[in-house]
Amino acid sequence: MGDRLRLAVGIMGNASSLLLYAAPILTFTRVIRKRSNEEFSCIPYIVALSNCLLYTWYGLPVVSYKWENFPVFTINGLGIILELSFIFIYLWFAPARGKIEAGTITTMVMVIFTVTAIISAFVFHDHHHRKVFVGTIGLVASVAMYVAPLVVVKQVIMTKSVEFMPFYLSFFSFLASVLWLAYGLLSHDLLLASPNLVGLPLGILQLGLYCKYRKRGITYNIQEIRA
């Protein structure tokens, strides 16, 4: 019963994470249509890439015991493809300075992941220590992924506009945090559960700000129409 529940929560976590990772498709469709990155930052997508790389490796039998974390492997493997696609589109339309900055940070992420994978595979010789090592670094990447949108949160508070913080992105982030927290607890894996202790309150914060400034935006629009 416990394993079935854990698998069910993992599948639901996969679905919510897929929606979260795919949410920027609308943003980058706009970028392609306008042939401009406007004010969007590439940092959240690079941070998400680092998270996906580390947890894909974490879910493989090299680190985890057999396929105990298969749901973690599948969704993060798909996340790698999506995040690389978003970063490529950003680089294609970014100005020269933006290309250099985003390219440099992406390269650093790839180097860190490669070093982590090599050390975990050849220095540690059992699954427990490999999970602790990769999971600890993945924990930092996950927290960074959840904290990265705070740049957007600051922009929302300053401009009193939710234009650059879509509702679906905030909602799927909240939902994914709830489900992966439950999956980590059911798996007795604190390294999987703990990042979501940060993601959950931040997701609630984003949803709260969206509700607050969305209503204010509607009020302003009505006043402009009347004027």
Side-chain angles (χ1 to χ4, degrees), residues 51-59 72 76 135 138-139 142 191-192 195:
N51 179 76
C52 291
L53 286 167
L54 288 165
Y55 279 103
T56 297
W57 182 247
Y58 187 92
V72 177
N76 286 286
L139 171 62
S142 291
L191 291 171
L192 285 178

Side-chain angles (χ1 to χ4, degrees), residues 105-195:
I105 298 173
T106 303
T107 301
M108 289 173 59
V109 164
M110 299 301 293
V111 170
I112 291 171
F113 166 70
T114 302
V115 171
T116 301
I118 292 173
I119 291 176
S120 62
F122 295 104
V123 174
F124 300 102
H125 303 292
D126 62 89
H127 293 291
H128 172 72
H129 288 95
R130 287 174 179 172
K131 287 176 70 174
V132 170
F133 177 69
V134 178
T136 301
I137 298 174
L139 171 62
V140 175
S142 291
V143 171
M145 183 180 73
Y146 286 124
V147 170
L150 288 179
V151 176
V152 180
V153 168
K154 179 182 177 181
Q155 186 178 13
V156 169
I157 295 173
M158 291 179 64
T159 62
K160 296 181 173 58
S161 170
V162 294
E163 180 183 1
F164 297 103
M165 192 180 72
F167 170 77
Y168 50 81
L169 196 59
S170 300
F171 176 72
F172 293 145
S173 176
F174 166 76
L175 187 60
S177 295
V178 171
L179 291 169
W180 285 115
L181 174 60
Y183 179 87
L185 293 175
L186 289 170
S187 302
H188 305 290
D189 192 332
L190 292 179
L191 291 171
L192 285 178
S194 51

Side-chain angles (χ1 to χ4, degrees), residues 34-115:
K34 293 190 174 183
R35 303 184 66 81
S36 170
N37 292 322
E38 298 180 318
E39 297 182 40
F40 293 109
S41 171
C42 192
I43 299 298
Y45 309 108
I46 298 175
V47 174
L49 173 64
S50 69
N51 179 76
C52 291
L53 286 167
L54 288 165
Y55 279 103
T56 297
W57 182 247
Y58 187 92
L60 285 170
V62 177
V63 177
S64 294
Y65 179 71
K66 295 184 177 179
W67 288 105
E68 62 175 337
N69 286 313
F70 183 71
V72 177
F73 163 74
T74 52
I75 188 57
N76 286 286
L78 182 58
I80 291 173
I81 297 172
L82 289 171
E83 299 304 334
L84 283 174
S85 300
F86 299 147
I87 293 169
F88 175 78
I89 294 171
Y90 181 91
L91 291 172
W92 185 265
F93 293 106
R97 182 177 178 181
K99 284 183 170 68
I100 294 173
E101 289 179 354
T104 301
I105 298 173
T106 303
T107 301
M108 289 173 59
V109 164
M110 299 301 293
V111 170
I112 291 171
F113 166 70
T114 302
V115 171

